[in-house]
Amino acid sequence: MSESRVRTSSIDLNSDVGESYGRWVLGDDAALMPYVTSVNVACGFHAGDPTTLRRTCEAAAAAGVTVGAQVGYQDLGGFGRRFIDMDLIELTDHVVYQIGALQALAAVAGTSVRYVKPHGALYNTAVHHRGQARSVVDAVRAVDPSLPLVGLPGSALLELAEAAGLRPVTEAFADRGYTPRATLVSRSEPGALLSDAAEVAARMVRMVTESVVTAVDGSDVAVRAESICVHGDSPGAIAMAAAVRDALRGAGVDVRAFA
């Protein structure tokens, strides 16, 4: 058996949830829960309100799904998808605040926060911006150094997390296009978003079993991951999550939470 197959005998399937706000509803979190093994719950800065977050954690607990804190910039208007050049100590404090808020709501809901994952622009910024990546790492380490940190393979975030003694967890994206450099295609560019459930499932089976995905230019790029994300706000998210899970299981891959 090849090294890649040894590394990918099991995989986590995660999704971003808890992103509704007040009377504004985004996604169908309850319907998504049966198909995923982990959920990245918004923490109120880029999306989500306290009642939404509590209810989302309750749904995850009822479904036996692992809860992670999805931390982002304080940017409700931009859904956390706009870069913010902010003081690095302040960014650390913002991440600490978000983790702590979700920890409290998760406890009330009968579950706990088991990992941390940045959202949107913060996630992409932490791939190369070592200052902001270190701020996120410092926040996680200060709150609970046993919490794994999820990020893009080869990112500054995961490099610094490992150096700080945190567990780095590599992630792939089922519904996003990849550049030839194995980074995500910008949402403003063609090929950024994928919506065909069968195509997405086949791509993820290949990624898990061969550690390869096809980039937007048609080239193959190496991607190894411990977790696969299906965005909860993507069109057809539930169908995609179900297709990916079933295809992976059909290929003999154990789909289970990493934390």
Side-chain angles (χ1 to χ4, degrees), residues 73 75-84 121-122:
Y73 294 128
D75 180 28
L76 286 172
F79 199 61
R81 288 179 176 161
R82 301 181 293 195
F83 169 72
I84 298 178
L122 181 57

Side-chain angles (χ1 to χ4, degrees), residues 128-224:
H128 303 294
H129 193 304
R130 299 183 70 83
Q132 291 207 3
R134 189 176 300 280
S135 291
V136 175
V137 169
D138 288 347
V140 175
R141 185 174 58 179
V143 172
D144 184 351
S146 72
L147 292 174
L149 187 53
V150 178
L152 202 69
S155 63
L157 179 73
L158 295 191
E159 175 195 337
L160 294 171
E162 186 170 26
L166 304 179
R167 177 187 170 188
V169 176
T170 52
E171 180 179 39
F173 289 84
D175 50 8
R176 292 295 306 277
Y178 278 81
T179 72
R181 299 180 63 187
T183 57
L184 300 181
V185 176
S186 169
R187 286 178 177 268
S188 64
E189 297 178 7
L193 304 178
L194 308 178
S195 58
D196 184 285
E199 175 191 357
V200 164
R203 280 170 62 88
M204 290 301 97
V205 169
R206 188 177 184 219
M207 187 279 295
V208 172
T209 59
E210 301 178 31
S211 300
V212 170
V213 297
T214 302
V216 70
D217 68 347
S219 64
D220 284 343
V221 293
V223 176
R224 280 183 176 156

